[in-house]
Amino acid sequence: MKRYTMTVVAAAIVLAAQPAAAAEDVERLGRDLTPLGGERAGNKDGTIPAWQDRSVLNPGWSYGKPRGDFFRFKDDKPLFVIDAANADKYADTLTEGQKALLKTFRNYKLEVYPTHRHCSAPDFVQQNTKANVGSARIGPDGWSLADATVPGIPFPQPKSGIEVLWNAKMKYAGVGLLMPTVWVMLSPRASGGDWIEAKASQAYHYPWGKKGSARLSEQAPVEYYTYFNYASPTALAGQALILTSYLNQPSETFYYFPGQRRVRRMPSYAYDAPQVGFENQYTVDEPRVFNGTPDRYDWKLVGRKEMYIGYNGFGMYDPGADRRKVISPDGVDPKAARYELHRVWVVEATVKDGVRHVAPKRRFYVDEDSWSLVGAEDYDAQGKLWKVRESFVIPVAETGACDNPAFVQYDLSSGRVLYDQASLGAGQDLKWLTEPDDPKLKESFYTADNLRTISDR
């Protein structure tokens, strides 16, 4: 993974454009803070080391080669294992969700490895992040992202929960992510039955992710576009959608139904609407830990804590793995889900007065170094812990940054396990792209007319 540094000239330009107070905050980036805003120093007892500006990927990787084979620390051994028997010993560094999973899912354990802090971004992202200090803005509605210099972290020193959320949503991942094959897996009901396993392809396009520097307010207010197409099972095969997630308004979805050979606009296919085909176990706003428009919640910044999170766990992305051995009704194979101790931002989301959602309260955990949403807990209308989600951060060779599309969701009420958004057992790897050379990385691809055209073929 390539490492970049800010030039002295570029840094001077950024500082000159900032007020005095903001200039001091800018200077902290790369000094006592990482270039993206994490605390550079380790913790007092050394279990979290200082962040290092280094690559953890050995040279020689190219697309199609196993990513984990090039991880510099692939031969690390677990330091210890956290299970239901010893969870109390580690209670301060576990979330309420993790404690519940240890008690509920037989296979859920945390194999804890040495911590490696390395997540960063290319130099233009670092420069744009500095430019955002004092200039990025939340809209007057209190939740939309009104402006920022992109691609870059909007609020590297966040003061509110909504700022942390937008940092997670706008972390650099190139201009797009292609998933040639992905399996969405849902374990059987407790009473018996079959797995739901949907084979699909998906593409994400981040129009603000182009190399260089641009003002978000001068572009279309789009967080991302996505295209999704099911190949199996029979009940879902041929169904497809195009979704636009906006920065300042609810998302827009067009859905193709092959039986009708027509595209329908689905304004209600958002928020807590159940996704088609998954027995009310998977809502539209659950992918990648949180998905879509944040306007239904008030977002409170609780603070930071040390927490064991999925990090450098390439096993959750292995296209050659047996997916049924990694994901089971009892949880994830601990050998695939490497955990490390990191600092995270904690944000609580509470549904606004006069607004409904099946999860009126949620708690989110965001890695301080990569700004990845690494965990979430959903509470039901009675205030009972209901669903727990975890994602898995890996370094990405193509972008020079870290990403975390793979995630697992545990439903404590139904006992079911869901996996989505990555290449586990798919036979083909994910593709992160930094240049808009693919047709799916053009805004013109994401229209109702194009969805009809490509679906009718």
Side-chain angles (χ1 to χ4, degrees):
M1 181 164 57
K2 195 174 180 181
R3 274 288 176 264
Y4 304 81
T5 57
M6 279 280 293
T7 65
V8 174
V9 173
I13 292 172
V14 170
L15 289 171
Q18 303 286 355
E24 171 58 26
D25 288 338
V26 170
E27 289 183 332
R28 294 187 63 196
L29 296 173
R31 189 181 66 194
D32 59 301
L33 300 178
T34 71
L36 302 184
E39 183 179 344
R40 192 173 188 124
N43 63 2
K44 290 182 180 179
D45 61 11
T47 52
I48 296 178
W51 177 85
Q52 296 186 52
D53 187 11
R54 62 173 179 172
S55 173
V56 294
L57 296 178
N58 290 320
W61 180 85
S62 59
Y63 184 77
K65 295 180 179 179
R67 293 177 185 270
D69 288 357
F70 292 83
F71 181 49
R72 182 173 295 177
F73 303 101
K74 66 179 181 179
D75 294 327
D76 280 354
K77 304 300 180 185
L79 301 173
F80 52 89
V81 178
I82 302 174
D83 57 23
N86 65 1
D88 289 347
K89 179 180 177 181
Y90 303 98
D92 290 345
T93 45
L94 297 173
T95 68
E96 294 306 308
Q98 290 174 321
K99 294 172 188 176
L101 297 181
L102 287 165
K103 295 177 182 177
T104 307
F105 290 88
R106 183 175 57 189
N107 215 36
Y108 185 82
K109 299 177 179 65
L110 286 76
E111 292 198 355
V112 177
Y113 287 76
T115 298
H116 300 291
R117 296 181 60 204
H118 53 80
C119 290
S120 188
D123 56 354
F124 58 91
V125 177
Q126 295 182 20
Q127 180 176 341
N128 293 340
T129 298
K130 288 194 171 188
N132 279 327
V133 176
S135 66
R137 293 185 293 109
I138 297 295
D141 53 24
W143 64 266
S144 62
L145 184 59
D147 203 8
T149 302
V150 290
I153 299 302
F155 307 102
Q157 298 163 56
K159 304 297 190 297
S160 66
I162 193 64
E163 291 183 352
V164 172
L165 181 69
W166 278 117
N167 286 350
K169 283 175 161 287
M170 301 296 289
K171 73 182 191 301
Y172 179 66
V175 292
L177 171 60
L178 303 184
M179 302 178 178
T181 303
V182 59
W183 285 97
V184 189
M185 303 173 62
L186 177 63
S187 65
R189 300 183 186 94
S191 59
D194 296 326
W195 283 78
I196 294 176
E197 292 184 284
K199 184 180 181 181
S201 62
Q202 187 165 6
Y204 285 94
H205 173 37
Y206 313 113
W208 44 267
K210 298 174 184 176
K211 294 178 181 178
S213 179
R215 296 302 298 178
L216 194 60
S217 58
E218 297 173 359
Q219 302 186 18
V222 173
E223 178 195 351
Y224 69 81
Y225 301 96
T226 193
Y227 165 70
F228 194 93
N229 178 42
Y230 285 113
S232 67
T234 303
L236 293 174
Q239 293 184 24
L241 68 77
I242 277 175
L243 182 148
T244 302
S245 184
Y246 292 100
L247 302 169
N248 59 1
Q249 65 188 59
S251 60
E252 183 177 52
T253 300
F254 293 96
Y255 207 106
Y256 177 80
F257 293 92
Q260 304 169 13
R261 295 182 63 84
R262 61 175 293 195
V263 171
R264 292 175 53 192
R265 185 174 181 272
M266 298 178 66
S268 62
Y269 202 63
Y271 303 108
D272 56 357
Q275 292 197 43
V276 174
F278 292 93
E279 300 179 348
N280 294 322
Q281 288 290 307
Y282 193 15
T283 67
V284 175
D285 65 1
E286 289 170 346
R288 304 192 67 169
V289 183
F290 180 79
N291 174 63
T293 313
D295 60 327
R296 289 193 176 182
Y297 289 97
D298 290 319
W299 299 83
K300 176 185 176 183
L301 180 57
V302 177
R304 284 194 293 179
K305 68 167 291 179
E306 296 180 3
M307 172 180 162
Y308 292 108
I309 60 177
Y311 229 89
N312 299 312
F314 292 91
M316 297 303 293
Y317 296 83
D318 184 358
D322 184 337
R323 62 183 184 277
R324 285 282 195 91
K325 290 184 178 179
V326 177
I327 309 296
S328 78
D330 296 317
V332 172
D333 178 3
K335 299 297 182 184
R338 171 189 176 122
Y339 288 84
E340 299 179 2
L341 186 65
H342 288 259
R343 283 185 293 255
V344 298
W345 293 94
V346 184
V347 175
E348 285 189 356
T350 305
V351 74
K352 293 178 178 177
D353 292 339
V355 178
R356 62 163 299 280
H357 194 285
V358 294
K361 178 184 174 181
R362 290 169 144 174
R363 185 178 294 117
F364 295 94
Y365 304 93
V366 179
D367 172 41
E368 69 166 343
D369 292 332
S370 66
W371 293 106
S372 297
L373 276 159
V374 291
E377 297 152 354
D378 293 356
Y379 292 80
D380 64 19
Q382 287 71 48
K384 184 178 179 180
L385 181 60
W386 174 23
K387 292 181 179 180
V388 180
R389 288 182 293 287
E390 292 188 319
S391 73
F392 304 89
V393 179
I394 59 169
V396 177
E398 300 97 310
T399 63
C402 291
D403 205 357
N404 63 317
F407 84 101
V408 175
Q409 176 168 275
Y410 300 86
D411 188 319
L412 296 169
S413 176
S414 69
R416 302 178 79 174
V417 180
L418 180 140
Y419 171 90
D420 193 10
Q421 293 290 284
S423 49
L424 180 66
Q428 293 177 283
D429 198 359
L430 306 180
K431 293 182 179 180
W432 281 266
L433 299 174
T434 58
E435 299 290 345
D437 298 330
D438 189 278
K440 294 185 181 70
L441 303 182
K442 310 291 183 183
E443 286 80 347
S444 59
F445 183 87
Y446 297 91
T447 66
D449 287 343
N450 188 55
L451 178 61
R452 183 178 298 106
T453 299
I454 60 180
S455 300
D456 282 341
R457 289 174 184 168

